Amino acid sequence: MKILVTGGAGFIGSNFILYWMKRYSNDKIVNLDCLTYSGNLENLKEVANNKNYTFIKGKIEDPIIVDKATQGIDVVVHFAAESHVDRSIKKPAEFVLSNVVGTQVLLDAAVRHNIKKFHHVSTDEVFGSLELNNTNKFNERTNYSPRSPYAATKAASDHLVRSYFITYGLRITITNCSNNFGPYQFPEKMIPLAITNILEGKKVPVYGDGLYVRDWLYVKDHCRAIDLVLQKGKVGETYCVGGLTEDINNLAVVKKIIQILGKEESMIEFVKDRPGHDRKYAIDWSKIKNELDWEPLHSFDEWLEKTVEWYKTNESWWRRLKSKEYQEYYKEQYGDLD
Ligand code: NAD
Ligand code: TYD
């Protein structure tokens, strides 16, 4: 089988390629990625010289490159996207181009080349925000209600993908997954930002009152969910994928990280809140459990500790990323936080 992975140099995409090539060593992988600030080929050095792995540098919104990359492909797994909510608030146009136009260009090529399966990797953020004090969760029937430019562009891409199933008969599947954590996550997202700031002796910025809730899933469990959907998922269907955490808020997550690193809670600094900040995400993953026998295998506490350990032992990886361009973003986002 020959798989085109888009965005394979990013956090989840690179974990997915490493996961896939270990398990299905005869499959061929083509990684199409334009290497934005969050794309990093170092994540893939383990497979760089594997004869079954090819890298193409290019944008998914470029029809010529996409047409070339799609030739001879059996399956597309589409990760490429601008992925950080805070950046989407500052520069939404880049999100529309990559996440919406890019997805449409890729879908057109998939139809033209009779791709056997097109899997779209999406997010729970398309569903909007839950209330803090009730037990509701998102599921496959929840109405879309995106509230950030990032979530709105991912929602648009989900709609496009479904429309290509209905209109052109493209054999699609979609996963809407909750917040991932693990190795190779760019240190602008909350968990790696907290870990690396503490390792650098800097404060950890916590937005607003810190009582925002996310549903955390270890990245390998997400990769396994995509694998199962590709193997056994029903064409045209959506699967919600989530973790094992129940109502853990950001402040509690940051405190756990501080405790693992043996530091003081005075490292926490409450900063200005994110505009339109979604209060809570929670996923009901019973459909993928019942139909495909998937469930998370990695507990939050144990794998948070392992993730902290990974950032401790891979300091050169993240130090380089926290360099010039990132410093400019950081200064604009957090002001003079030290
Ligand atoms: P990331 O920012 O770490 O990686 C994105 C990758 O896509 C990078 O390698 C980047 O270079 C590439 N890319 C961006 N725009 C591109 C373009 N126009 N053309 C080609 N390549 C481009 O993101 P991530 O956290 O790995 O997320 C991957 C996917 O998973 C995204 O679609 C995201 O919406 C989805 N998702 C992420 C999470 C999460 O918690 N991180 C949860 C659910 C779903
Ligand atoms: P993030 O990792 O950006 O993921 P998302 O916005 O996609 O959920 O943020 C996770 C949570 O952490 C979210 O509620 C925002 C909050 N947060 C902070 O409190 N401080 C920070 O510096 C960042 C980046 C996020």
Side-chain angles (χ1 to χ4, degrees):
M1 185 159 70
K2 193 166 178 185
I3 305 177
L4 174 65
V5 175
T6 70
F11 163 47
I12 309 175
S14 60
N15 274 285
F16 179 80
I17 291 177
L18 296 174
Y19 164 96
W20 197 275
M21 295 196 80
K22 214 168 265 164
R23 266 167 197 72
Y24 308 104
S25 54
N26 292 328
D27 284 351
K28 294 189 177 0
I29 297 261
V30 177
N31 174 14
L32 172 64
D33 195 303
C34 69
L35 303 180
T36 65
Y37 73 95
S38 73
N40 186 354
L41 289 179
E42 220 187 308
N43 306 2
L44 293 160
K45 57 177 190 280
E46 218 176 298
V47 296
N49 297 321
N50 188 314
K51 63 174 182 4
N52 286 337
Y53 170 79
T54 314
F55 174 66
I56 300 176
K57 185 171 188 296
K59 295 187 175 190
I60 53 165
E61 62 270 27
D62 177 341
I64 294 166
I65 296 233
V66 167
D67 194 69
K68 199 176 126 216
T70 318
Q71 278 167 27
I73 294 292
D74 300 300
V75 171
V76 174
V77 185
H78 177 32
F79 293 94
E82 288 290 342
S83 68
H84 191 39
V85 172
D86 294 320
R87 288 185 190 251
S88 83
I89 294 166
K90 291 187 160 56
K91 289 188 176 168
E94 289 174 10
F95 284 68
V96 175
L97 200 55
S98 290
N99 302 3
V100 185
V101 179
T103 300
Q104 172 258 311
V105 169
L106 204 57
L107 286 163
D108 278 347
V111 170
R112 226 174 16 253
H113 291 282
N114 287 316
I115 296 299
K116 295 190 186 91
K117 253 185 201 172
F118 185 104
H119 182 72
H120 180 55
V121 181
S122 193
T123 166
D124 60 355
E125 303 194 24
V126 299
F127 300 123
S129 181
L130 295 165
E131 301 286 327
L132 257 196
N133 296 318
N134 69 41
T135 53
N136 289 348
K137 293 186 173 191
F138 301 134
N139 64 39
E140 293 77 6
R141 292 170 307 283
T142 305
N143 286 336
Y144 275 41
S145 182
R147 291 158 36 93
S148 71
Y150 164 65
T153 58
K154 290 299 290 187
S157 68
D158 291 11
H159 291 318
L160 274 170
V161 171
R162 282 194 196 97
S163 80
Y164 274 62
F165 168 62
I166 292 161
T167 309
Y168 306 104
L170 183 66
R171 296 167 59 79
I172 65 101
T173 44
I174 300 177
T175 39
N176 290 97
C177 187
S178 61
N179 287 60
N180 285 209
F181 69 101
Y184 301 119
Q185 186 166 30
F186 194 88
E188 66 183 352
K189 303 279 169 67
M190 189 189 76
I191 287 183
L193 178 69
I195 300 169
T196 58
N197 271 21
I198 296 168
L199 292 174
E200 289 182 298
K202 288 186 187 152
K203 297 246 172 158
V204 180
V206 170
Y207 294 163
D209 58 13
L211 304 181
Y212 294 86
V213 170
R214 296 294 182 264
D215 178 331
W216 294 100
L217 180 71
Y218 188 65
V219 62
K220 288 260 156 52
D221 280 325
H222 188 184
C223 296
R224 263 186 42 254
I226 295 169
D227 182 359
L228 275 174
V229 171
L230 283 172
Q231 314 281 354
K232 303 199 287 182
K234 206 168 146 219
V235 168
E237 292 283 311
T238 292
Y239 297 88
C240 281
V241 180
L244 295 166
T245 53
E246 290 284 342
D247 279 5
I248 185 164
N249 63 46
N250 295 339
L251 197 52
V253 173
V254 169
K255 285 182 179 172
K256 275 179 193 286
I257 295 169
I258 289 175
Q259 200 203 347
I260 295 167
L261 287 166
K263 302 287 182 202
E264 303 294 319
E265 287 182 9
S266 56
M267 303 283 295
I268 294 171
E269 177 129 343
F270 290 94
V271 299
K272 189 160 67 68
D273 210 348
R274 169 187 286 173
H277 197 168
D278 289 339
R279 204 32 139 170
K280 174 176 167 182
Y281 305 141
I283 287 268
D284 167 2
W285 40 265
S286 52
K287 176 178 173 182
I288 188 167
K289 161 86 179 144
N290 294 336
E291 292 185 14
L292 308 183
D293 202 21
W294 176 90
E295 63 186 349
L297 299 178
H298 298 82
S299 75
F300 183 66
D301 284 358
E302 184 185 348
W303 288 84
L304 182 64
E305 257 189 76
K306 290 200 158 92
T307 300
V308 170
E309 202 48 48
W310 188 88
Y311 281 88
K312 271 170 84 176
T313 44
N314 290 278
E315 197 165 327
S316 60
W317 181 87
W318 56 262
R319 278 212 185 263
R320 223 165 307 134
L321 304 182
K322 284 187 140 182
S323 61
K324 199 167 163 287
E325 194 210 344
Y326 178 70
Q327 291 298 343
E328 282 158 19
Y329 162 79
Y330 193 86
K331 187 140 188 61
E332 203 187 321
Q333 179 69 13
Y334 299 106
D336 286 327
L337 189 72
D338 45 49

